[in-house]
Amino acid sequence: MDAVAPLAMFVPLAGAAVLAGLTGIVHRVVADLYVLVVTIATTVLCAVLLRRTTDHRVLHWFGGWRPAHGNAIGVALTVDTIGAATALLIGVLALAAFIFSWRHLESGSRHFHVLMLLFEGGMIGFALTGDLFLLFVCFELMSVAAYALTGLKMTDAGSMQGAINFAVVNSAGSFALLLGIGLVYARTGSLNFALIGQTLAGHPADGTVAVALVLLVTGLLTKAAIVPFHFWLADAHAVAPTPACVLFSGIMVELGLYGTARIYWTMFSGALVPRQHAFGLVLLGLGAATIVVGGMMCFLQHNLKRLLAFSTISHAGVILVGLGLMNHDALAGAAVYVVGHGLIKGALFVMAGIVLHRTGALDELSLRGRGRAKRMWPSSALFIVSGLALAGAPPFALGLGKSMIDDAGAGYWWLPWLLAFSGVVTGGAVLRASGRIFGGWGSDEGIRYPADTYAELHEEHETDAAHERTPLVLIFPAFALLALSLVVGLWHGLADHVEIAAARFVDRPAYAAAVLTGHDHLISVSTKAPAVSATFIGIAEAAAAIALALVSLACQPVTARWRSKRVDAYAPMAVLRDLHSGRAPDYVAWFTLGLAVFGGLTYVAVH
Amino acid sequence: MTAAVQTLVMLSVAVFATVVVLTRDPLHQIIALTPFSISLILLFTVLQAPDVVLSAVVVGMLAWPVMVLLALGKLRRNEVDP
Amino acid sequence: MNARARRGVFLVGAVGVFGYLMWGVAGLNGFGHHTQTALRYANGVVAAASPLRHASNAVTTVVMDVRGVDTAGEELLLLAAIVGMLMVLRKADDEEIVPARLEAPDRVGTGRSRATSVVAVSVAAAVGVLGLYIVAHGQLTPGGGFQGGVVLAAPSILLLIGARHETFERFHYGLAWEIVQAIAVTAFLGVGVAGLIEGRGFLANIVGPGSLGTVYSAGTIALLNVIAGPAVATAVVLAALQIYHQMIEIRRER
Amino acid sequence: MIDHLPYVLAAWLLLVGLYGVATSRHFVHLVVSLSIAQASTYVLLLEVGYVQGGSAPIFKDVPSATRVVDPVVQALVLTDLVISVAVSGLLLAFIVQSHKRTNTTDPTAPQPLAG
């Protein structure tokens, strides 16, 4: 029996349990070294696991409860290439976050490391599980650790608000998830993905199956911050400690989408075959709404972390579009996109943390020119490169993933435009902020909401004060993540590998056979080379993002003038911003409406 | 007979849950929570789940109210003694 | 959104969700009725519980053996929540700790007679023994580590909150509770790793099944119950005491 | 159809609980309402595992051939109960600290992060 998979999950978790007892006794330096060793060990285990999945799916039956007589009562870890790669991404981002946190956090660090390890282990378990209820337990484990991490700065009203909103909305999502599990269990008498998929396949989806699918996916899309379940994300990201944000935006949100793809392709794809396209359209619609809302809100923000948070929402929409296309080519694109986005977004949050470390503020407007005055040249260069990469500039991995989704969705003329919108607007927002902070361009006036000015008032709690130099351990993680994104993007033949992995991911009968009978059958598919035009599209998007940033820097006063006219051009955006009210009851009302709409659309799609 | 008892208990769970939610004052709400917890425990009993009953008793009637009451106490002290 | 708009949005959504859920449950078997498929997991567990594991309580067999990894996750989740609560409720830089005995001098050495204390301690001890009983018999009767753990925690909380403040301070400050919790959770995972070393899988039941119906039956099920008991008890004690400490002793610096 | 009425209870608990959250004017009320919504999950799971005429899944005095209710869902509910307490405890801690800085327990009060 292969021990690597459970170890990859339980090394960080056991590390956290041991550290919880040691943390009050040992010195901070010892604790840091210990955490570093545990994190590196975890990353290595994930890498070994990835290596092993190249020729078979790695299985582990907890307690040795293997399936017998066509019945699987045991709990399984079922690891394929995409699952192992996700776990490895978690490990890499966690490593970067830990290195960054050495110098960054002062207060509350005793508990911080324990929570980060629990968070990491919960996420890895989520990526590796082949069991529906273990998925739920890992979902909750990573949620509880994440709520606590968000509330690290407990003296700050904003932190508490962010943590409360995060916990309330995600709890509502977890109820949906568990109700869905109840329906699936009632129908199939199983909690194993493969066995459920085998039982559901062949019968057209009826009400129970459709409702179970919607409830499960709603729970996961809440974690993935898909409109209208997305409200918690910006509040939580704006206040969470920067190292936690690297993991939140870099991978936690994407895990919701990973889970959606996993449960769909292992459990429901057999039952939805004739209706697959229609259900895909529902997901495409949700993804499109998320891209637009996230992108617009991103561009309207002045708080750096909140700006990045909304950018994550927009990009989550792109990934959901990749899933909604319902074929393995698009899924491969989405997988590459997740890696590309996770690395870039991790780097960007690290950069925001550096700005905070140096200046004690995060508000773009009040920071105008401060980056130049402080001579933060390396940071400014990294910021601009990250902004371009976020827009989809080649040869970074995010642009590669985007072109793969574009190719796979060739049937929809509007798809490239939608994806380009996400990249141009979020990349443009990052470039605009860099221009203002590091170049001193633009004006320092703008339309301000409480969230914009929030940073100035409270953020100084995270670090001691404004510092004069950027320590190497702070900038190194950003540099490493960006470099890694470049390496992945330049990796010759990566697209082929991922397409094969994705084709195996969606191969439900082979998955079921591997789990239930132990006979693995890995298909290989012919892959096609990405179109040459992809490079030009990426360059065009990056150029558009630069143009958008420059125009918005130059035209700031114009926006103010628009407002004074009789027709208020800002009004629609003001409505959008007012909807993000920061109040948990509002968010739960939207959650309920969203669940009803998603359910109604699926009803139409399945009928 | 079984069906009648089950129906009665389920109805009481629904009613008491609604009462808890509609009781807006937190302290009154904690009091309203007791009949809800009891009816929920009865429901678990008639659904033949003794392990869940035991858990629900220790959680619903012990751990949970203690935590909520202590938190309410702290909120009150915050107000008295800012 | 104002209250009316919010209520409107919610109610529209709620009507939709209700209708949708009804569509979902309409396809289920009637309450209390099942297809053989739906019952196969239960039948598999029942077939395994008593003959294979010598555990008469099938639920505990699921919690601590067949799906033991869920319980490992649950102990870790509890750890995360407690660490989070300790962190969030810690003393802030602009707050001070006013030891409870200074805060409420009238409670120090109240005229509580020795007899009262003896009664209190004996009642607490009785509840504690009940908790131990529930922990130890989890594989036989309803109960187990979690339920027994909370019962175990109750007397500690009551004694500490009711006791003289000196006693409260002596037992609350310091890391003993946290260390015990960490040891218990680590031990739980340690049992899991032992199964891996045996080559039978994480959390495999590596101890012999014992004889059905005795305290020593069911192998690691009993062992894991005994480990989970203190893990849960310390978690509950830490949660309650930290809120109490926050309530009584922490206040804004003047 | 009458056989399906018990499932309505789960839907009702979920929606009543969420209604309480959506209309709440006090954070503690919000947390309590959230726990009511969570009760829907216990109820649904136990209902789908109930077997007409089945006894509790404990074989102390009964031969193991008797009809019993599903032990698996009961195990799932046990885990779910722990999760509920853990999340509530954490939420209460946030609420206590939030109240110190904002002097309000009203979730609909203006929030520092809005827009």
Side-chain angles (χ1 to χ4, degrees):
Chain A
M1 182 162 281
D2 202 318
V4 177
L7 283 179
M9 172 182 177
F10 277 101
V11 161
L13 293 175
V18 172
L19 185 64
L22 292 179
T23 180
I25 307 168
V26 299
H27 192 264
R28 164 92 196 257
V29 176
V30 180
D32 277 348
L33 277 176
Y34 169 85
V35 170
L36 186 69
V37 170
V38 171
T39 323
I40 290 177
T42 309
T43 313
V44 169
L45 282 167
C46 292
V48 171
L49 196 57
L50 179 61
R51 188 82 194 80
R52 291 200 179 171
T53 56
T54 46
D55 53 2
H56 65 286
R57 293 179 180 84
V58 175
L59 283 171
H60 183 88
W61 292 96
F62 284 105
W65 291 94
R66 292 167 185 282
H69 317 299
N71 192 6
I73 64 172
V75 181
L77 292 182
T78 311
V79 192
D80 57 11
T81 308
I82 288 189
T86 309
L88 181 59
L89 180 61
I90 296 167
V92 168
L93 287 173
L95 194 55
F98 273 123
I99 294 173
F100 182 76
S101 70
W102 277 345
R103 287 293 298 272
H104 191 58
L105 287 157
E106 306 298 338
S107 158
S109 60
R110 185 159 95 80
H111 301 111
F112 171 80
H113 282 145
V114 178
L115 290 169
M116 284 289 271
L117 285 175
L118 288 169
F119 185 42
E120 185 189 2
M123 289 197 293
I124 291 179
F126 187 93
L128 303 185
T129 180
D131 183 276
L132 195 51
F133 195 73
L134 184 59
L135 179 105
F136 174 76
V137 170
C138 290
F139 180 95
E140 287 287 356
L141 175 56
M142 70 189 201
S143 296
V144 168
Y147 308 153
L149 283 169
T150 310
L152 180 77
K153 293 168 279 174
M154 82 293 179
T155 52
D156 169 32
S159 284
M160 294 301 104
Q161 179 209 344
I164 291 171
N165 291 350
F166 186 4
V168 170
V169 178
N170 273 267
S171 292
S174 78
F175 304 159
L177 187 60
L178 196 50
L179 290 174
I181 292 174
L183 289 182
V184 168
Y185 182 82
R187 172 55 62 87
T188 63
S190 175
L191 293 167
N192 183 283
F193 289 162
L195 190 56
I196 294 168
Q198 200 181 54
T199 313
L200 292 180
H203 313 282
D206 66 347
T208 304
V209 175
V211 173
L213 173 64
V214 165
L215 288 172
L216 291 171
V217 170
T218 300
L220 295 166
L221 291 189
T222 307
K223 185 61 83 190
I226 295 301
V227 171
F229 314 119
H230 69 286
F231 289 94
W232 60 272
L233 182 138
D235 298 348
H237 281 54
V239 296
T242 306
C245 283
V246 171
L247 286 173
F248 284 11
S249 253
I251 188 66
M252 178 185 76
V253 167
E254 288 74 6
L255 277 181
L257 297 159
Y258 166 84
T260 305
R262 177 68 78 194
I263 64 156
Y264 179 80
W265 286 110
T266 58
M267 288 164 41
F268 291 96
S269 58
L272 253 76
V273 171
R275 304 282 166 202
Q276 182 156 298
H277 179 72
F279 182 68
L281 279 180
V282 176
L283 294 185
L284 281 185
L286 289 177
T290 307
I291 289 174
V292 173
V293 170
M296 287 178 66
M297 284 300 290
C298 170
F299 202 76
L300 296 172
Q301 300 298 317
H302 298 304
N303 177 327
L304 269 187
K305 272 191 183 169
R306 203 169 157 87
L307 182 151
L308 294 176
F310 277 109
S311 137
T312 298
I313 294 177
S314 185
H315 288 273
V318 173
I319 299 162
L320 184 62
V321 164
L323 305 188
L325 288 172
M326 292 289 172
N327 60 49
H328 76 267
D329 292 328
L331 188 71
V336 175
Y337 200 94
V338 167
V339 175
H341 174 261
L343 295 172
I344 296 292
K345 196 49 72 68
L348 274 167
F349 268 107
V350 168
M351 302 308 304
I354 290 172
V355 170
L356 178 63
H357 181 84
R358 289 292 300 273
T359 64
L362 278 173
D363 175 20
E364 178 193 335
L365 296 179
S366 69
L367 280 173
R368 186 175 76 101
R370 295 270 294 279
R372 185 157 74 173
K374 288 224 168 202
R375 300 181 181 283
M376 296 166 66
W377 303 126
S379 305
S380 67
L382 286 178
F383 227 113
I384 291 166
V385 173
S386 310
L388 292 172
L390 199 62
F396 290 94
L398 187 141
L400 175 64
K402 183 181 288 190
S403 68
M404 286 166 76
I405 300 177
D406 275 343
D407 285 350
Y412 302 97
W413 61 267
W414 44 267
L415 197 89
W417 296 98
L418 199 60
L419 267 50
F421 174 84
S422 167
V424 170
V425 171
T426 57
V430 169
L431 292 173
R432 181 199 72 201
S434 337
R436 204 178 324 254
I437 295 171
F438 302 110
W441 302 334
S443 135
D444 55 6
E445 285 168 24
I447 298 159
R448 325 270 318 237
Y449 277 73
D452 293 326
T453 47
Y454 161 77
E456 284 177 278
L457 295 172
H458 301 290
E459 278 291 350
E460 65 273 7
H461 289 298
E462 190 166 332
T463 56
D464 279 348
H467 295 71
E468 277 317 302
R469 284 181 58 251
T470 310
L472 208 59
V473 291
L474 291 194
I475 207 153
F476 169 73
F479 181 77
L481 290 175
L482 264 181
L484 211 52
S485 169
L486 197 64
V487 169
V488 174
L490 287 171
W491 183 350
H492 186 70
L494 173 78
D496 296 348
H497 287 301
V498 181
E499 280 202 16
I500 293 169
R504 290 170 179 174
F505 187 96
V506 303
D507 187 359
R508 190 188 51 74
Y511 180 92
V515 173
L516 298 174
T517 67
H519 298 299
D520 209 343
H521 165 70
L522 290 179
I523 52 162
S524 46
V525 290
S526 59
T527 54
K528 53 180 184 289
V532 187
S533 62
T535 312
F536 296 107
I537 295 177
I539 292 172
E541 284 178 10
I546 295 173
L548 181 66
L550 292 176
V551 167
S552 77
L553 283 170
C555 297
Q556 191 76 26
V558 178
T559 5
R561 233 183 296 142
W562 280 354
R563 277 212 108 179
S564 58
K565 282 191 188 160
R566 206 149 25 132
V567 181
D568 188 352
Y570 196 78
M573 294 177 245
V575 170
L576 192 60
R577 293 200 77 172
D578 286 339
L579 285 182
H580 294 76
S581 60
R583 297 174 182 141
D586 287 357
Y587 295 178
V588 169
W590 288 117
F591 173 88
T592 314
L593 187 66
L595 178 53
V597 170
F598 183 28
L601 290 175
T602 311
Y603 180 83
V604 175
V606 173
H607 255 266
Chain B
M1 181 58 198
T2 323
V5 173
Q6 283 172 347
T7 315
L8 198 69
V9 173
M10 284 180 191
L11 278 177
S12 66
V13 170
V15 170
F16 287 129
T18 316
V19 170
V20 171
V21 164
L22 295 180
T23 310
R24 298 284 164 176
D25 179 77
L27 210 57
H28 295 166
Q29 204 188 17
I30 303 299
I31 300 166
L33 206 56
T34 310
F36 171 73
S37 298
I38 293 173
S39 60
L40 200 59
I41 287 164
L42 282 177
L43 178 63
F44 297 158
T45 312
V46 299
L47 291 178
Q48 302 288 351
D51 275 282
V52 181
V53 168
L54 202 51
S55 282
V57 168
V58 295
V59 168
M61 315 207 67
L62 210 74
W64 223 89
V66 166
M67 265 186 345
V68 175
L69 283 172
L70 286 174
L72 275 175
K74 177 63 185 176
L75 291 180
R76 187 152 297 181
R77 279 180 82 99
N78 280 349
E79 267 157 22
V80 179
D81 185 28
Chain C
M1 273 202 300
N2 61 28
R4 271 189 67 176
R6 181 165 53 238
R7 192 184 303 242
V9 168
F10 175 82
L11 288 177
V12 171
V15 170
V17 171
F18 189 80
Y20 195 67
L21 288 177
M22 288 306 104
W23 186 44
V25 298
L28 291 180
N29 285 90
F31 175 64
H33 302 284
H34 296 271
T35 58
Q36 271 314 302
T37 311
L39 275 180
R40 64 183 153 173
Y41 202 150
N43 292 336
V45 167
V46 169
S50 158
L52 234 68
R53 294 290 187 243
H54 288 190
S56 49
N57 183 347
V59 179
T60 312
T61 311
V62 178
V63 171
M64 291 300 178
D65 194 329
V66 178
R67 303 194 61 87
V69 62
D70 291 346
T71 309
E74 173 196 311
E75 303 298 333
L76 290 158
L77 184 142
L78 214 46
L79 178 70
I82 296 306
V83 170
M85 283 179 80
L86 293 178
M87 183 185 79
V88 172
L89 294 175
R90 71 188 189 270
K91 182 187 84 67
D93 291 341
D94 60 348
E95 288 175 335
E96 58 182 354
I97 293 182
V98 181
R101 65 188 126 83
L102 303 179
E103 167 78 2
D106 50 315
R107 280 190 61 188
V108 177
T110 40
R112 193 186 289 146
S113 73
R114 188 150 271 239
T116 324
S117 307
V118 170
V119 170
V121 170
S122 356
V123 171
V127 178
V129 171
L130 178 65
L132 286 177
Y133 170 86
I134 298 176
V135 169
H137 288 76
Q139 73 276 30
L140 305 174
T141 56
F146 177 70
Q147 298 93 321
V150 181
V151 176
L152 267 180
S156 321
I157 294 170
L158 292 179
L159 280 184
L160 287 179
I161 289 180
R164 293 152 171 262
H165 286 301
E166 288 90 336
T167 320
F168 174 74
E169 282 167 31
R170 192 175 329 139
F171 283 97
H172 176 240
Y173 298 122
L175 301 159
W177 296 106
E178 283 178 67
I179 292 173
V180 171
Q181 191 192 13
I183 290 174
V185 177
T186 310
F188 199 106
L189 300 180
V191 173
V193 173
L196 270 187
I197 294 170
E198 283 263 301
R200 289 177 46 199
F202 194 83
L203 276 170
N205 198 334
I206 48 172
V207 185
S211 54
L212 176 65
T214 69
V215 184
Y216 302 106
S217 59
T220 48
I221 296 181
L223 182 62
L224 290 177
N225 267 326
V226 170
I227 293 171
V232 172
T234 46
V236 175
V237 170
L238 276 168
L241 290 193
Q242 188 71 7
I243 304 184
Y244 185 70
H245 168 63
Q246 172 70 238
M247 169 172 145
I248 299 293
E249 299 192 316
I250 292 183
R251 65 162 90 157
R252 201 66 77 83
E253 239 166 25
R254 351 205 121 183
Chain D
M1 195 59 222
I2 195 91
D3 277 356
H4 292 81
L5 280 181
Y7 302 126
V8 177
L9 175 63
W12 178 255
L13 286 177
L14 175 76
L15 291 172
V16 163
L18 290 183
Y19 174 80
V21 175
T23 58
S24 187
R25 302 306 300 267
H26 193 292
F27 270 124
V28 174
H29 173 270
L30 189 147
V31 173
V32 173
S33 299
L34 204 62
S35 78
I36 301 271
Q38 183 141 25
S40 71
T41 60
Y42 320 146
V43 169
L44 182 79
L45 283 171
L46 290 181
E47 281 177 348
V48 303
Y50 181 71
V51 175
Q52 192 82 52
S55 60
I58 291 167
F59 302 101
K60 181 82 175 130
D61 304 313
V62 295
S64 49
T66 24
R67 191 139 68 138
V68 293
V69 303
D70 189 336
V72 179
V73 288
Q74 300 192 3
L76 306 190
V77 172
L78 290 180
T79 306
D80 194 21
L81 271 165
V82 181
I83 292 170
S84 154
V85 194
V87 173
S88 302
L90 210 46
L91 268 171
L92 289 171
F94 295 144
I95 288 163
V96 162
Q97 292 292 10
S98 158
H99 180 250
K100 279 188 197 163
R101 308 292 155 172
T102 59
N103 286 321
T104 175
T105 51
D106 184 357
T108 59
Q111 298 288 328
L113 288 163

